[in-house]
Amino acid sequence: MNVVQVIARAVLTIALALGLLVIGPASLHADDSARQVLLANLRAHIKHVFVIYQENRSFDSYFGTFPGADNLATDEARTHGFKQYDPIGNQWISPFRINDPDLADADHSRPALYTKANGGKMDLFVAAEEGRMLRMGATLQDAQRVGVLTMAHEDCDMVPFLWKYAKTFALYDHIFQGMYGPSTPGNIDLVAAQTGQTQWARHAAQAVGAADTGQGVPVVDDLYPAFGPYHNGEPKAKQVDLTFANLFLTLSGATATSAVIDNDDIKDDIASLAGSGKPAIPWGWYQEGFKDDGSATYPAYVAHHNAAQYFGYVRQNAALWNNVHDLTDVLPAIKNGTLPDRGVVFIKGGYRNPFGWQTANTDPAVRKAFNGDDDHPGYSDSHVSEAMVATMVNAIARSKYWRDSAIIILWDDSEGFYDHVPPPIFEECPDGHACGDGPRVPLILISPYAKSGAIISDPGDHASFAKFLGALFDLPALGSLPDEKPYLPRGPRDTNPALTDLLGGFDAARLAGTAPPVPASAAQISDGIIQTFPPPMGCKSLGITPAQVPGGMASPPPAFAPRTSRGY
């Protein structure tokens, strides 16, 4: 948001407060009527939601120079950590552009994220990262490398497919991770609009430790789920069984009664859903490397990214658990048109892409270390990761599902990479710090009915996905269910009016039929381009000129290296 937008919003707020501008019943009625028309048209057109849920990128790290967005070129950025001190190098670091798709893994634990954000100042990303690395026994060189890396950003020459989608469809620039924490909380937040605040309120003895690490609720770190399968054998430590309501339950509608095992904390929710008489909305979770055949290891599978696996009433009831599949099962289902007539499809990558793709870097060590495709630094190559996304988008665009689809590309956490926008503050966690929101993450909406080339600044977080599904499929809000509502504000945030339901990215005229939908061809990228590393696409071919960042570094500082001396 630039200074003009900030002033305009402030003037509007003051005018409303002083009664100088009155929004009366007629205006409210008109707004409500317009929303009802939009909803009716949305429900008439959108039958399939595909969410491609990637890992660990802040908004600024991927879209920090995207034209028109709240980016690194704004006045706001200058006042929130734009220059950060590098204690090891005794120098100041400003944002700089990089062009390497294989990056080291920065610290994105809960304590690290709220330390880096520094109460909204957003100015300790470099120093906090270097301190953490040194405490772990890293060399000065490696600590400085990762610390400086947190200030790097990429553009359309690095992730051209994502920038193409953002240019052609709708990019949301005020979506935040719902919890200060790493991957697991983000994945749980996506499907439950919380990570266990209800369970914490109901079962105080299960509260996570004051240090915000380890077993307990709300979930704040990457402890393995209470139930298998696991990707590297039985873990020594597991998370508690999660017992609060999630989207898998509300999507079940009247068939929620199939959750007959481990349902003590959701019995009233089940009764309410069953009493609604609403038919189930089918869903499927497709995750790379998933198997449930009793084997000991699954090299591609990341167990702590499978949100469904954390909930005992999902994992232990076949009617729900049978909706979890391997990633490779989704492409033939889309191509052959065997998905249900409507529903929600979750798509998740993993440690080893199943397509045989290799990094453009021919160093055997890099190729071995960066074979993943879920975008997680430390093991995923950015080019391979966006190729996986583009492969899925192509499949949908070439199928019968395109005409009634909404594709949402979203990231689970910010990786501890710099972002300049201070996150909103919601309820307090057991450690006395805010549970959320955490730093910004990107969100892209692709649909025949999306706005074209739009920047959507409606504020939201991972709970916005639950709000969107609720609006689209007329689901009860998780926060309205009888086993959750009594504990608010500890609990689901999908009743919070401060969070968007993502409808701002849809074009009312396209939904109404007065403007043509976006053709499927606009979403497609040539298979030859997708499967070439690095891809022969970039800013020039896309016709995009990245925003210039006043005061940013013209090139990476001398201390920069994309990876540590270990090679990852």
Side-chain angles (χ1 to χ4, degrees):
M1 186 181 300
N2 60 35
V3 67
V4 174
Q5 291 172 313
V6 171
I7 293 172
R9 178 172 290 185
V11 169
L12 176 61
T13 301
I14 293 170
L16 287 170
L18 296 177
L20 300 176
L21 177 63
V22 178
I23 299 179
S27 298
L28 293 174
H29 178 72
D31 289 345
D32 185 64
S33 296
R35 175 179 169 80
Q36 293 309 311
V37 170
L38 181 70
L39 271 176
N41 291 333
L42 187 77
R43 291 168 180 169
H45 288 293
I46 302 296
K47 305 298 180 184
H48 293 90
V49 176
F50 299 87
V51 56
I52 305 173
Y53 200 41
Q54 295 289 81
E55 293 281 314
N56 299 49
R57 302 286 172 165
S58 73
F59 186 91
D60 277 343
S61 70
Y62 262 177
F63 294 98
T65 55
F66 193 87
D70 187 349
N71 59 34
L72 293 167
T74 62
D75 293 332
E76 180 187 22
R78 300 290 171 282
T79 61
H80 290 95
F82 190 79
K83 290 183 180 293
Q84 303 206 10
Y85 188 62
D86 163 18
I88 294 176
N90 190 27
Q91 62 181 330
W92 291 92
I93 305 293
S94 295
F96 59 91
R97 178 184 175 276
I98 58 171
N99 59 4
D100 196 305
D102 305 310
L103 305 178
D105 187 15
D107 189 3
H108 47 285
S109 66
R110 173 171 168 77
L113 289 182
Y114 61 65
T115 298
K116 289 177 176 182
N118 193 21
K121 295 179 181 178
M122 315 306 285
D123 62 356
L124 289 180
F125 285 79
V126 176
E129 187 65 46
E130 291 182 355
R132 190 271 309 198
M133 291 286 290
L134 292 175
R135 289 192 298 274
M136 290 177 59
T139 64
L140 285 172
Q141 180 190 55
D142 280 349
Q144 188 180 23
R145 283 181 174 184
V146 184
V148 170
L149 172 63
T150 63
M151 296 298 287
H153 63 85
E154 296 149 68
D155 62 19
C156 36
D157 283 334
M158 259 299 303
V159 281
F161 306 161
L162 299 178
W163 276 54
K164 169 185 165 56
Y165 298 142
K167 177 188 177 184
T168 308
F169 299 96
L171 173 68
Y172 293 70
D173 68 350
H174 277 81
I175 302 297
F176 299 83
Q177 57 181 96
M179 165 67 77
Y180 270 107
S183 296
T184 296
N187 282 269
I188 295 169
D189 234 323
L190 179 75
V191 303
Q194 63 163 314
T195 69
Q197 286 88 325
T198 297
Q199 190 168 335
W200 167 34
R202 183 185 287 128
H203 304 293
Q206 294 184 11
V208 70
D212 264 344
T213 56
Q215 185 183 60
V217 285
V219 176
V220 295
D221 64 14
D222 284 341
L223 207 62
Y224 290 107
F227 312 94
Y230 304 107
H231 59 268
N232 55 357
E234 192 77 14
K236 294 180 179 179
K238 303 176 185 178
Q239 190 50 266
V240 298
D241 177 11
L242 300 188
T243 60
F244 47 96
N246 60 35
L247 289 172
F248 307 132
L249 188 69
T250 55
L251 287 166
S252 299
T255 68
T257 51
S258 63
V260 295
I261 300 173
D262 198 7
N263 65 8
D264 286 350
D265 284 352
I266 53 169
K267 284 183 176 177
D268 290 339
D269 294 345
I270 291 171
S272 177
L273 291 165
S276 72
K278 291 183 177 180
I281 306 295
W283 61 273
W285 182 282
Y286 294 84
Q287 183 164 333
E288 185 173 298
F290 171 77
K291 292 181 182 178
D292 191 16
D293 60 5
S295 300
T297 60
Y298 311 94
Y301 185 55
V302 188
H304 69 268
H305 291 172
N306 187 340
Q309 197 167 319
Y310 282 83
F311 294 86
Y313 66 84
V314 174
R315 177 64 184 88
Q316 299 183 89
N317 288 284
L320 291 165
W321 184 242
N322 287 343
N323 293 308
V324 181
H325 313 277
D326 182 72
L327 175 69
T328 57
D329 293 335
V330 74
L331 288 172
I334 294 170
K335 180 179 179 180
N336 298 329
T338 57
L339 293 174
D341 291 338
R342 61 176 182 165
V344 184
V345 173
F346 298 85
I347 296 172
K348 193 77 179 171
Y351 284 137
R352 298 186 182 181
N353 81 85
F355 307 103
W357 298 329
Q358 293 185 313
T359 67
N361 190 324
T362 57
D363 183 337
V366 172
R367 286 193 163 178
K368 181 179 180 181
F370 291 88
N371 198 23
D373 58 6
D374 66 9
D375 223 6
H376 195 306
Y379 66 79
S380 285
D381 177 276
S382 293
H383 293 152
V384 170
S385 297
E386 69 165 2
M388 188 276 281
V389 171
T391 296
M392 299 299 164
V393 173
N394 271 3
I396 297 163
R398 293 167 180 167
S399 75
K400 69 178 186 179
Y401 302 115
W402 170 255
R403 63 179 179 266
D404 66 11
S405 69
I407 305 169
I408 294 172
I409 307 171
L410 179 59
W411 284 256
D412 67 352
D413 72 61
S414 61
E415 172 60 17
F417 290 163
Y418 171 62
D419 189 89
H420 74 272
V421 179
I425 297 175
F426 290 117
E427 72 274 4
E428 189 176 281
C429 267
D431 65 348
H433 292 281
C435 287
D437 278 344
R440 274 194 313 170
V441 292
L443 188 151
I444 302 170
L445 170 67
I446 300 173
S447 174
Y449 307 101
K451 293 177 179 175
S452 296
I455 304 295
I456 311 300
S457 295
D458 303 336
D461 64 22
H462 289 131
S464 293
F465 180 69
K467 292 190 77 168
F468 170 64
L469 291 191
L472 173 62
F473 293 123
D474 194 23
L475 303 176
L478 291 160
S480 74
L481 295 175
D483 283 316
E484 318 301 321
K485 186 176 180 179
Y487 301 100
L488 293 179
R490 288 193 193 175
R493 296 182 311 285
D494 61 342
T495 55
N496 189 329
L499 301 178
T500 179
D501 56 11
L502 305 181
L503 297 193
F506 289 92
D507 189 311
R510 285 176 173 151
L511 287 170
T514 58
V518 181
S521 58
Q524 295 180 47
I525 299 171
S526 165
D527 290 341
I529 291 177
I530 290 175
Q531 297 176 26
T532 299
F533 304 96
M537 178 187 283
C539 299
K540 184 176 181 180
S541 61
L542 289 170
I544 302 176
T545 301
Q548 296 299 307
V549 182
M553 303 185 80
S555 60
F560 172 75
R563 296 171 293 279
T564 68
S565 59
R566 296 174 297 174
Y568 54 89

